[in-house]
Amino acid sequence: NENAGKNWDGSARVCPVYGPHHLEISDAGNGVGLTCTPSTLTIKACADAACTTPYTNGFSGTLTATGAGTANWGAGTPDFVIPAGSSSITKTLQLTAANADVAATLGASSAASNPATCTFAGCSYIAYNTGFLFDVPHHVAGVAQTVSVRSVKKADNSGACVPGLANVTRTVQMSCSYTNPVAGTLSVQVNTRYLNPGNSASAACAATSPVSLSFDAAGVASATVTYPDAGNMGLNMNYTGAAASGDAGLVMQGADAFVAVPASLVFSGLPAAPLVAGAPFNVTVTAMNGATLPAATQNFGHEAAPAVVTLGSANPQPGLGNASAINVGLSGFAAGAASTNLTWNEVGTIDLTANHVNYLGSNLSVAGTRVGAGRFQPAYFDVSVTPGCGTFTYA
């Protein structure tokens, strides 16, 4: 039928979209939790396969956990509702079993067009009876974060968490991983150790590295975490006991995820003054970290949905002209920097601004200002002549 897929008038038929493309389930522990405490899952409604565009028309569904053990959901139900105007909601899950580690495959039952996906492999979630709890906050790249690491285990006579390692110093194995962007050139530093085999400040995350932690009577150790680049990162920790330390057979794991955002956007490469009003001029914007000696965040702009910086103008001097404000999106960052041509069609000076809001959903933003760009001068003067008398005039 030649009219298949067409409207009555022969135009192409477009089917309306009534729900999200799919749901995405994420977990700060990257699919690893503890039986003695809940984990927080984030359920996100996605309008496309890559989940770069959120679906915000409101949606509901039911989470599933298929496997052994008992799934204890927040508010006592696996049902969830994402309100209109939002694209995500959180839900807690505590997976328990009788004195055993337990695993389940997570999913969601909903009217989404496609099955739910997870940010951790195979949607496989595992809860251990012993492990590490820690939370690295979203933060400015290159700025050290002090993180408390809790060593916990399920109590013998209840489901509560009690200290797992107390009043001891232990060497744990730690590793870092790239989530978004999916690759990088620099590694996370924990205390004085870079998480790569060579303990190198200029090498990427690789394998596991030994880090010494001292746990107090409450089973808590303090660690300093630093990452000089931008992006969404994973941090993993594990410990295997030994007879020599008196904890043979003890296996502890823990994981967390965080976002590191550039500290500032710095302008460079402007031509020397004077500049010509209305003529293009080049600027370069570099995303810098917040280290004592700031450096470019080379992964900025390499995200799955590459970051876009909005360039603008403010504070024209003198403020008497009628020029249109600059409003340009800047993308294509390489090694943390990108360049473009701008125009300003008035004389004087302006402040150039750059900003990126809510980097990777962290609620952290980055901005920068170049004060007093210019000075801009006219391209030329136009002389007009009005006849003075008769038909003959000279100027």
Side-chain angles (χ1 to χ4, degrees), residues 3 34 60 110 115 123 160 173 193 208 232 266 272 290 317 343 389 394:
N3 290 319
L34 291 165
S60 62
S110 73
C123 285
Q173 299 297 317
R193 175 75 196 201
T208 60
N232 191 340
V266 177
Q317 296 294 328
T343 57
C389 58
Y394 68 89

Side-chain angles (χ1 to χ4, degrees), residues 60-88:
S60 62
T62 302
L63 292 174
T64 60
T66 305
T70 301
N72 302 285
W73 300 100
T77 173
D79 298 337
F80 63 89
V81 176
I82 301 174
S86 179
S87 63
S88 65

